[in-house]
Structure formats: structure tokens, C-alpha cells
């Protein structure tokens, strides 16, 4: 049985849990609180030297890290990841883009405003994070104005990955009001079989 | 024949070119100068709404974006990407980690110090970028002190991806002197068949 080492409030960890539920896989959840330094213990760093959650344990001492890599591993051979080479590559493109151009702004703004203590020093980063985050929201709005889902017009791990932090962007101070296509897409995600909230 | 839209000095574009050469694929290179706004023209944004290089054109109006997604596409079915599910996932983990925890510091420091004009405003970002970049270098040194390559002890797209900006880190102001395992690994990369310099 899979074990997941994750922090429940983290969108990156939620991605893994959502897909496991939708695949009806059994798993054990091990709660890790990074605010208490639990990702920096020797035992944790032996699993992931980068000190990050989530980690998926697939067997004795066999660990996978990086949320989007875990999604690809779990989705292989399922309807959540196409085996068409061009469309697989498009899926990966969105996954890489999510980490580099979306999560790094939208998730980090949420972490600072919603998870760190009120009045923390990192609030000074918010204007730059909002600038990058709105740029990312504009790009997904443009794509979703012409497509129901990110790849192949079918729900896939690209949607799971991008939903994880888009749906809670307001907790990072983002206004989603004008993003009509994004809001309609989120409703489509939330009506998928096996959907669970963060 | 493949077409690549890229900026020659970019490490992300170099990744694609290096793999294409090692695979002995024919390709046309279209030079794009992002400093002259060439990634922001309507024609370019029609290929990649994110306004980033590299882009791989694999057929009429069939474009792939994100350097590491392109590497996966090109390497499929070749010795540069294993088909063992666990090891494939480890490869993807390194590729995601490269973008989020390595490139965003080391490549950006190089961009500011080596590509933007001398005395530019972004030099103020260097201390933070160096902190993150040295953290990344420490992690790859630790891994390479026990492994010849990143995955399966075989040269793969994980090595290509991580080599792209590690080998020119000095241009971003990083001192590689103490990273003995990283330096030995770079020599192994540079002795691979079909290797070409950036």
C-alpha cells in the first residue's frame, strides 16, 4: 500500500491525494508539519534531501518526490494521462509551467498570507507574487476560454495540478471575479467522479 | 524536420539542442532574441502564449514548449529515458526539481549578471539567488558523491537538464571550486558521444 508523507493544507500534497482518491487507491497518510521543522529532520531528509513534501513511498525505501512527477507515475496507464506522444508532451508542458510560472507565485502568496503567522516579514513579497500570479491566471483564462480542460478536452493530471492552487488563490489575496472561464473549469473539476476537497 | 525556436545563449534552449545533436536528429534553428522583444510578438505568442523559449515545432502548427517536457518527448524510446516506471518517475522528479529549485536561482543569476546590461537594476536580487543556488548545488553535490549520474547511473535527460545551467553557474557568480563531485560529473557529461558546448 502506498504511503504519502504530506501536509494536508498544501496544494502540492492535495494533488497526490486527489488523484489517489479518484483512482480508488488505498494509501496511508502521514501528516508532516513543515512549520514545526518536520521536513528537516535526518529521517525526513533521508527520504527527500530537498526537504519537501509530498513524498510517495511505493515500497520499502522506494520514495518518489515532486508532486507533478508523482502524478505522472500514478496516472500512467489510466485515463488521467494519455499515451499519445504529442498530447503527453503537452500534459508535461502544463505540469512544468504550473511549477515554474503558476505555483511559485500563487502558492507562495497563499503560504505567506494564509499559512504563515499574521504580520510575518514575507508579506513584503506579495506585490511581486501578485504580478506573476495574475500573469499566470491570464494565461489559463485564455486557454480555458477555448478549451474545457487543459489537454485533449478531457480531465487529466494537468487539470489536477493546475486546480490545486488555482481554486484557493483567494487565500493568497487573488481576485478571481473576472476569470469566467477559470471559474467554469473549476466547477467542471469539482463535478468529477471521486472529487474531494482540499 | 524539427524546428527549434530558441535563444542560443539560453541554457534551457541548449538542453534541446544538445539532445537533438546526441540523437543525431536534423533540425532547423530559428534564433529568437528575447532582449529585443521577439518572444512577445503576436506571431510568437500564437506559438507559446507564455512568451518563452525554447519551442519545438514537430509539424505544421504543432508546438511543444517547456524545455524539460521537450526533452521527455524527444528521449522517449531512446537510451536517454528509461522505460522502468520507478526510474522514469525519478527522472521526472529531477526535471521538476531542476526547474523549481535549481534553474530559478542559478539561471536567473546568470541572466542578470551575464546577459542583461552591466549595472542593471536586477543585480539587487543576486544575494537571494545565490542563497537558493548554493542550496541546489549542495543537493546535487550530495547526490553525485554517491552516483555517477542522476538516475540509474546512466547518462539521461536528467543529466542534460541539470548540466545546462550548472556548467555555466560561474557566469552567475557562483564558485564551483569545492563541488568536487559536480565537477567530475560535468567532465563525464562532456565526454559523452555527440556532446556539444553551449
Amino acid at each position: 500500500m502506498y504511503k504519502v508523507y504530506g501536509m494536508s493544507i498544501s496544494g502540492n500534497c492535495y494533488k497526490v491525494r486527489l488523484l489517489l482518491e479518484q483512482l480508488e487507491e488505498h494509501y496511508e497518510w502521514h501528516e508532516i508539519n513543515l512549520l514545526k521543522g518536520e521536513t528537516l529532520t535526518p529521517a525526513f531528509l533521508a527520504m527527500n534531501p530537498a526537504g519537501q513534501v509530498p513524498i510517495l513511498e511505493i515500497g520499502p525505501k522506494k520514495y518518489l518526490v515532486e508532486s507533478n512527477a508523482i502524478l505522472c507515475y500514478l496516472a500512467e496507464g489510466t485515463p488521467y494521462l494519455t499515451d499519445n506522444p504529442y498530447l503527453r508532451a503537452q500534459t508535461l508542458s502544463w505540469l512544468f509551467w504550473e511549477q515554474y510560472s503558476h505555483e511559485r507565485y500563487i502558492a507562495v502568496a497563499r503560504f505567506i498570507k494564509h499559512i504563515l503567522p499574521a504580520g510575518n516579514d514575507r508579506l513584503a513579497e506579495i506585490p511581486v507574487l501578485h504580478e506573476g500570479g495574475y500573469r499566470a491566471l491570464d494565461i489559463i483564462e485564455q486557454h480555458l476560454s477555448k478549451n474545457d480542460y487543459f489537454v485533449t478536452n478531457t480531465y487529466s493530471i494537468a487539470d489536477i495540478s493546475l486546480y490545486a492552487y488555482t481554486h484557493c488563490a483567494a487565500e493568497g489575496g487573488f481576485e478571481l471575479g473576472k476569470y469566467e472561464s477559470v471559474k467554469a473549469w473549476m466547477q467542471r473539476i469539482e463535478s468529477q467522479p471521486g472529487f474531494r476537497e482540499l
Side-chain angles (χ1 to χ4, degrees), chain A residues 2-159:
Chain A
Y2 292 124
K3 291 183 188 169
V4 181
Y5 298 84
M7 183 159 158
S8 293
I9 202 173
S10 149
N12 284 324
C13 298
Y14 168 57
K15 294 174 191 173
V16 174
R17 188 175 236 176
L18 175 54
L19 180 58
L20 284 166
E21 300 268 347
Q22 294 191 304
L23 291 171
E24 299 184 359
E25 293 278 3
H26 293 285
Y27 62 95
E28 270 179 27
W29 183 271
H30 294 256
E31 187 70 18
I32 300 290
N33 189 335
L34 71 87
L35 300 177
K36 291 185 179 162
E38 293 175 7
T39 54
L40 300 174
T41 64
F44 190 91
L45 291 172
M47 296 193 290
N48 182 5
Q52 292 162 339
V53 283
I55 299 174
L56 181 72
E57 185 176 343
I58 63 170
K61 295 203 174 183
K62 290 179 89 171
Y63 304 109
L64 294 177
V65 299
E66 295 287 334
S67 59
N68 288 348
I70 294 170
L71 290 184
C72 290
Y73 175 82
L74 291 172
E76 188 68 65
T78 79
Y80 299 96
L81 177 58
T82 170
D83 56 11
N84 173 293
Y86 176 56
L87 298 173
R88 277 175 84 91
Q90 288 194 321
T91 309
L92 280 173
S93 296
W94 281 114
L95 296 179
F96 282 107
W97 182 84
E98 187 266 345
Q99 283 289 287
Y100 197 82
S101 301
H102 179 289
E103 197 266 16
R104 77 187 275 188
Y105 301 113
I106 296 177
V108 175
R110 174 177 177 262
F111 182 74
I112 291 170
K113 286 183 75 88
H114 186 65
I115 299 179
L116 289 181
N120 69 80
D121 289 346
R122 293 191 60 186
L123 287 163
E125 299 172 32
I126 293 294
V128 169
L129 296 172
H130 277 186
E131 189 185 329
Y134 280 117
R135 201 161 53 227
L137 291 169
D138 289 346
I139 285 174
I140 65 173
E141 175 70 14
Q142 184 189 337
H143 185 79
L144 293 168
S145 70
K146 290 174 267 172
N147 301 277
D148 282 351
Y149 297 99
F150 277 95
V151 182
T152 73
N153 264 334
T154 307
Y155 178 66
S156 78
I157 53 173
D159 300 287

